[in-house]
Amino acid sequence: MADTMRDNTQTPLLYIARLALGNEQFDAWNHQPLLTSLEQGGLEWPSSCRNGTCRTCIGQLVSGEVRYQIEWPGLSTDEKLAGCILPCVAFPCSDVVLHPYSD
């Protein structure tokens, strides 16, 4: 799916995001990181730095697509291949399903 981020003069897009464990759902706006949307939806997810370096928020993208506004954040090649993301700096490009990551 193509990146659906629009320029700042247009209305942000809203996606549906879901946590695989517990099947909890929240609104995910394309103009803000998934972690922010999670918190606005009243859901808890581990976090700390909010800039993609501490890895506290690491999760696995079960389905959907995300994009980053920074160079690929602090994930190993194996983690990238496993579908890991850092929700503190990942912006949704579609509906998404997240799962806590365990290596």
Side-chain angles (χ1 to χ4, degrees):
M1 175 180 283
D3 184 354
T4 54
M5 181 68 177
R6 298 178 180 185
D7 67 46
N8 293 335
T9 62
Q10 296 182 354
T11 304
L13 298 176
L14 175 66
Y15 298 111
I16 301 301
R18 189 170 53 82
L19 300 182
L21 293 178
N23 205 28
E24 297 172 293
Q25 185 172 301
F26 61 98
D27 293 340
W29 294 94
N30 71 333
H31 70 288
Q32 68 185 19
L34 282 169
L35 181 60
T36 302
S37 294
L38 268 158
E39 293 171 341
Q40 287 176 346
L43 302 175
E44 292 186 21
W45 191 269
S47 67
S48 186
C49 74
R50 296 183 180 269
N51 65 12
T53 58
C54 79
R55 301 167 40 84
T56 301
C57 70
I58 192 169
Q60 189 169 26
L61 187 65
V62 176
S63 67
E65 294 184 41
V66 299
R67 65 176 176 76
Y68 296 94
Q69 291 182 332
I70 60 173
E71 287 296 317
W72 194 279
L75 296 170
S76 71
T77 300
D78 288 341
E79 290 167 336
K80 292 175 195 177
L81 292 172
C84 291
I85 64 166
L86 296 174
C88 69
V89 291
F91 294 75
C93 298
S94 68
D95 292 346
V96 296
V97 177
L98 301 175
H99 190 279
Y101 179 68
S102 59
D103 47 353

